[in-house]
Structure formats: structure tokens, C-alpha cells
Amino acid sequence: MIDNAEDLKEKALENKAGLKKQFVNIPIGDEEYGFRISGIGAKSVKLEKYVKYDEIFEALEAGNDTGLESIIKQIIEDYEEEDEEE
């Protein structure tokens, strides 16, 4: 069993090619979503999930208002561009 970050990083970097083909299932709301491991770096692991706009509204129309699609829709709706200060 790996019990420290350095050993975990070493194993991840050694197995980078194979790990990038793996999926991670994460429960969000009432659903479970598959995220692909899309990057292995020296400091972190990157997860990737594409959510299509049509899928957002299909999920909401089906009554799933606590899932990933709903969260993404809310982030987009609430986003306001920040003013750049000079």
C-alpha cells in the first residue's frame, strides 16, 4: 500500500500511458459520472469529462436537478466576467 505522496507520484509517472486510459466513477447528486484520467504530471492528476449542452437539458427535463449537468448549467448561468485591474 502506498502511504505517501512521493511514492504515489512515482508510480503514476511510471504508469502514465496506462493510467491515461482509466476512468474514475464519481457520485454527484443522484448519478454516478465517469471521468477519464487525461493527464499525469509531477504535481497532479487531471480528470476530464465532456458534458454536452443537449445532455444538460435532457437531464434537467428528466428531473435530475442535482446532478453534474445542473451544476455546470448553474456555473455558466452565474458566471460574470471579472474586471481586470491595472
Side-chain angles (χ1 to χ4, degrees):
M1 177 183 270
I2 297 174
D3 60 0
N4 65 73
E6 191 60 35
D7 288 347
L8 186 64
K9 175 179 82 171
E10 205 172 289
K11 183 168 183 179
L13 291 172
E14 287 173 4
N15 296 286
K16 189 175 188 175
L19 286 169
K20 286 178 72 175
K21 297 177 183 175
Q22 300 298 306
F23 279 83
V24 178
N25 291 319
I26 300 174
I28 300 173
D30 297 334
E31 302 285 328
E32 190 168 282
Y33 296 88
F35 291 79
R36 183 175 64 86
I37 296 178
S38 62
I40 305 284
K43 295 188 180 211
S44 62
V45 175
K46 180 181 177 185
L47 300 178
E48 181 175 44
K49 172 74 176 169
Y50 291 100
V51 180
K52 296 179 181 176
Y53 298 113
D54 289 343
E55 292 173 354
I56 291 172
F57 285 94
E58 287 172 9
L60 294 171
E61 288 169 4
N64 184 359
D65 57 355
T66 60
L68 179 64
E69 295 90 353
S70 177
I71 293 167
I72 292 172
K73 181 178 180 278
Q74 196 65 51
I75 289 169
I76 294 170
E77 285 180 340
D78 293 346
Y79 179 77
E80 292 184 18
E81 193 170 342
E82 295 180 21
D83 292 334
E84 289 187 33
E85 293 183 24
E86 295 178 27

